[in-house]
Structures are given as structure tokens and as C-alpha cells.
Amino acid sequence: MKVTIHLWDLPHRLFHWLLAASVAAAYATAKVGGEWIDWHGRLGVFILGLLVFRIVWGFIGSTHSRFATFFPTFSRVKAYVKGQWEGIGHNPLGALSVIGLLLTLGVQVGTGLFANDDIAFQGPLFNFVDKDDSDKLTGWHNSSINVLLGLIALHLVAIVYYRVAKKTNLVKPMLTGKKEIPRVLAEAISAHEATKAGVIRFALSLIISSTAAWGAAGGITQLPQLTKITNPCCSVTWASADTSQPNQATPAASQPQTAQAPASF
């Protein structure tokens, strides 16, 4: 006999579908190019925010969203291969797929922030690296997409396999948050394994991820720059650079200079 339990929380599900839609849109805009390349960049920053949210949520979210719950340790993978693993969330192989996707997307987004196309597009953090380094990161950005597409294809094949071969619908729980499991397994789940995250933790995750996206989008360049100042007594202090005032000439520079003819004249 089976019972219905609440498995995936709402933030987890929103992350999943927003990430899927954003990755698809980012890939399409990159292929179309032209004026759409700016939207490709914006979607990249949005995906970065989603990834940061998922990382934070993986530590403070509800039980089955936390990495500690499903991280594919050697013992868990071994038990799964032997058919001895019992769980209700990501199985160890599915967990490997999740981590692989997150890491690959992290490489995609990270390199894209510094990338350029030698025409009109530059990543929001392009000016933080040399052109040669940007070109190298652009190459990694373009090549790692093949790894990402391979992982996505493997993810979709697994969904179909579970639906056809094992009669298990993996899509429905990610839509509704609910899953049917055997009553024996449900009874074996201890009370502490059903911890809810709460609104405060969700708000904290949003703040952290939004701040990361803002900084990656160029917000970091708006922070006050520190300029090294050496005072007359040889001590070193730091002060915010004031770029709003015109440069004032030093007393030595303001004094008239007597022109001297070159020695060859």
C-alpha cells in the first residue's frame, strides 16, 4: 500500500523550472545571436542567481533539498548498485546528475561573465581580466556547452526510462511537490527528516542570490574604489577615490616651467 507525502518544497520546484526555462532561452538566444545576444547575457546573470540560490538552499532549505540528504557518498552509491538503497528523494545516481549539472552550469556562467565575441558583446566582468584571458574563458564557455547538453540529454533519458521501465513518474512530484511511496518506507522516515525551511530562510536565500546576481551584472563596479595614499610621514592609509572632482595640479606642477632646448641644438 502506498501513501502520499510532501517531498519537494515550493522554492525547490520554482528553482527547477525557472532554471530549465532559463537555460533553454539562453541557448536559443546564443544560437540566434545578433541583438538577442544581450538577452543571452541577462539570462546568464539570472541563471547565476538561481545557482547561488540553490547552493544556499542546499544547506538551509527543507530536508530533501539539502545536499547532506542526497549527496552521493561511496556507501550510498554502493548500496544503490546492490539494490539496497532506500530513500524518497534523489537516488545516488540522480544526485550525481544533479551535482554534475550544477557544476557545469557554474562553469558556463562563470566563464560567460568574462567572455566576449570580438564584435559587440562583452561579459559584465570583461574589464576585470586581460583580453587574452577573456578569449581563453570564451573558449571554455563555448566548449563546455557540449558537456552541458550531454548531461541534459542524459537527464531526460533517465526520466523517460523511469517512466517506462519502472513506472515511476519523476515529473509529477516536481510539479506538485507530492510523491507516492510505500507505507513501510514512509513509516521508516523519522520526524526530523521532514524539516521545513520557513519564510526567513527563504528570504535569506533570495537576498544572497539577488546580491550575487547584482554584483555579477556590474554592480560590483559601482562600489567605492580604494586608492592607496602615502602621507608625508611615510605611513600608508586607504581612502575612497573621489572621481567626481577634477584632478588638481600639484604645487610643483602649477609653477611655470622654463623651457630648455635639447642639447643637440
Side-chain angles (χ1 to χ4, degrees), residues 3 61 80 83 127 137 144 152 174 178-179 181 189 195 198 253 263:
V3 296
Y80 182 79
N127 291 328
L137 292 170
S144 60
I152 292 174
M174 195 56 70
K178 298 179 181 180
K179 182 180 180 179
I181 62 172
I189 300 174
T195 303

Side-chain angles (χ1 to χ4, degrees), residues 251-259:
S254 62
Q255 295 177 357
Q257 300 291 331
T258 304

Side-chain angles (χ1 to χ4, degrees), residues 20 44 51 53 61 67 77 95 126-127 154 175 201 209-210 220 243-245 255:
L51 291 177
F53 175 86
F67 297 126
V77 174
F126 170 81
N127 291 328
L154 184 62
L175 289 171
R201 294 185 180 185
S209 58
S210 299
I220 191 173
T243 58
S244 62
Q245 297 295 332
Q255 295 177 357

Side-chain angles (χ1 to χ4, degrees), residues 10-142:
L10 181 58
H12 187 120
R13 286 178 280 143
L14 286 175
F15 159 80
H16 181 276
W17 295 113
L18 285 174
L19 183 66
S22 300
V23 169
Y27 181 77
T29 51
K31 284 298 182 181
V32 174
E35 296 180 355
W36 287 99
I37 199 66
D38 289 333
W39 278 103
H40 178 76
R42 295 185 186 104
L43 286 165
V45 171
F46 183 68
I47 292 172
L48 172 64
L50 289 175
L51 291 177
V52 173
F53 175 86
R54 183 63 185 93
I55 292 173
V56 176
W57 200 245
F59 290 99
I60 66 174
S62 60
T63 298
H64 300 292
S65 294
R66 296 186 182 185
F67 297 126
T69 304
F70 64 86
F71 190 82
T73 61
F74 177 78
S75 59
R76 288 175 178 175
V77 174
K78 183 179 179 180
Y80 182 79
V81 172
K82 291 183 177 181
Q84 300 173 351
W85 178 83
E86 291 186 351
I88 60 175
H90 293 302
N91 64 56
L93 293 185
L96 285 172
S97 176
V98 169
I99 293 174
L101 282 168
L102 293 178
L103 289 175
T104 307
L105 278 170
V107 172
Q108 274 288 109
V109 172
T111 54
L113 294 174
F114 303 93
N116 73 93
D117 64 358
D118 286 322
I119 302 175
F121 176 79
Q122 295 177 346
L125 303 183
F126 170 81
N127 291 328
F128 283 81
V129 297
D130 296 332
K131 179 62 166 60
D132 291 341
D133 293 332
S134 175
D135 291 340
K136 184 183 297 185
L137 292 170
T138 301
W140 294 351
H141 183 75
N142 294 334

